[in-house]
Amino acid sequence: MKIGFIGCGNMGSAMIGGILKNGVFEKNEIIVSNLTEEGSRRSREKLGVVTTLDNCEVVKNANIVILAVKPQFYEEVIGEIKSFLTPQHMIVGIAPGKTLAWLEEKCEQPLKVVRLMPNTPAQVGAGMTGACVNDRVTEEDLDQILAITNSFGRTEVVPERLMDAVSAVSGCSPAYVFMFIEAMADAAVAQGMPRKQAYQFAAQAVLGSAKLLLETGMHPGELKDMVCSPAGTTIEGVRILEKNGFRSAVFEALQGAADKGKKM
Ligand SMILES: NC(=O)C1=CN([C@@H]2O[C@H](COP(=O)(O)OP(=O)(O)OC[C@H]3O[C@@H](n4cnc5c(N)ncnc54)[C@H](OP(=O)(O)O)[C@@H]3O)[C@@H](O)[C@H]2O)C=CC1
Ligand SMILES: O=C(O)[C@@H]1CCC=N1
């Protein structure tokens, strides 16, 4: 085995899905641990990887170890596995607030440490991951990490001080985007559109807008202005969004998410 996941829920399985689809590792090179027998069976059936209920088995059988449990369980899990870690291991945290220094300290030995902040669109190969590494991670190690993260979307290597911002703007933001889509679809339903069709229209509008911005590199304000005809329908909606503090609400939400990450 080459890569191991401690925990294989939403994020772990999304990451493994991309890794397998792009042939970064074969099924028999991936070992995952779950907390429950039910989770273990789900990992086996859904992904076909090697499974265990013993977190130490992951460390004994893989040199890249991804901690894909909720942040609250990081300390307990590291306590369990630390005596099996060696300088050859690369330990990868994906939780908000768990800094490189915190991970190094809890592992109690000099190790290659990586911090990633992926997001759930990784499930469909459209993830966005922020990455930073400690000074023991070589160029070759980083290339290996990027091959992994690029298998489920795009990656940006950032200074660690930006990881809370990454967590807010791409780790958490899919939740806010889904709330936005749901609200738009509710409004379309109120106008008489069948719900399934409303999700299609709202989601494709968000997907297309994101694609337009990424592919043209244009300023989002300019793209917004392209939609707003003088005395038209869109600018009326813009007025109402501004009146209701739409931008400020988004700003505050991301600020709150980033601040929460700093405290974790
Ligand atoms: N969800 C998201 O959008 C994002 C999440 N993250 C981070 O990813 C990490 C995982 O989150 P997510 O995938 O959403 O969480 P899930 O709840 O979906 O999955 C957690 C997994 O951890 C397993 N688990 C729990 N306790 C243990 C333990 N002691 N030993 C081994 N396995 C254990 C569970 O096992 P079982 O299957 O048996 O229940 C489950 O497979 C978190 O740190 C989160 O902050 C980062 C970016 C985005
Ligand atoms: O809130 C969470 O649990 C995760 C971390 C980053 C995005 N979502």
Side-chain angles (χ1 to χ4, degrees):
M1 256 76 68
K2 301 224 167 115
I3 186 166
F5 285 75
I6 296 186
C8 187
N10 289 314
M11 225 38 261
S13 61
M15 293 169 81
I16 294 170
I19 290 169
L20 290 173
K21 194 168 173 201
N22 287 278
V24 183
F25 292 105
E26 301 295 324
K27 288 178 180 176
N28 63 5
E29 295 175 319
I30 303 175
I31 180 166
V32 313
S33 62
N34 290 80
L35 182 64
T36 63
E37 184 50 60
E38 192 194 335
S40 198
R41 191 172 53 246
R42 194 184 57 234
S43 299
R44 260 193 316 276
E45 286 171 3
K46 190 172 161 197
L47 302 164
V49 295
V50 181
T51 59
T52 175
L53 291 174
D54 181 353
N55 294 334
C56 300
E57 279 303 305
V58 174
V59 179
K60 289 183 211 163
N61 286 289
N63 54 334
I64 301 175
V65 176
I66 302 197
L67 302 173
V69 295
K70 291 292 187 194
Q72 294 85 340
F73 304 121
Y74 262 53
E75 191 154 1
E76 178 189 323
V77 163
I78 293 173
E80 260 177 67
I81 62 170
K82 69 183 172 198
S83 59
F84 297 97
L85 290 168
T86 67
Q88 278 68 49
H89 279 103
M90 190 148 45
I91 195 100
V92 182
I94 63 168
K98 302 300 180 206
T99 62
L100 294 171
W102 186 91
L103 289 163
E104 280 171 14
E105 187 201 318
K106 296 296 166 191
C107 290
E108 288 178 4
Q109 58 203 294
L111 278 179
K112 297 172 178 184
V113 183
V114 177
R115 241 183 115 181
L116 300 177
M117 180 47 63
N119 65 6
T120 53
Q123 284 179 23
V124 291
M128 183 70 224
T129 303
C132 63
V133 300
N134 77 352
D135 54 13
R136 289 193 176 77
V137 173
T138 64
E139 285 289 323
E140 201 183 328
D141 295 327
L142 183 58
D143 285 347
Q144 198 169 23
I145 291 295
L146 294 181
I148 293 166
T149 54
N150 288 337
S151 76
F152 46 80
R154 299 184 185 203
T155 316
E156 286 278 326
V157 178
V158 297
E160 187 172 24
R161 67 183 165 76
L162 293 183
M163 285 304 273
D164 294 310
V166 169
S167 174
V169 78
S170 67
C172 306
S173 68
Y176 316 142
V177 173
F178 295 128
M179 288 168 75
F180 178 52
I181 290 173
E182 196 179 20
M184 289 200 295
D186 279 347
V189 170
Q191 292 290 320
M193 186 180 282
R195 182 159 287 280
K196 207 171 157 199
Q197 200 173 33
Y199 290 139
Q200 172 86 16
F201 273 96
Q204 182 63 33
V206 170
L207 178 67
S209 305
K211 194 168 156 66
L212 182 62
L213 188 144
L214 288 172
E215 289 185 8
T216 62
M218 285 168 70
H219 188 285
E222 198 179 344
L223 290 166
K224 178 213 83 187
D225 290 351
M226 278 167 54
V227 194
C228 295
S229 311
T233 50
T234 312
I235 198 70
E236 183 61 11
V238 168
R239 180 183 71 77
I240 293 165
L241 284 174
E242 294 292 13
K243 187 177 165 202
N244 286 280
F246 178 66
R247 286 175 199 254
S248 174
V250 174
F251 207 134
E252 288 296 319
L254 268 72
Q255 187 79 48
D259 288 348
K260 176 82 181 180
K262 289 189 214 307
K263 291 182 204 140
M264 285 170 80

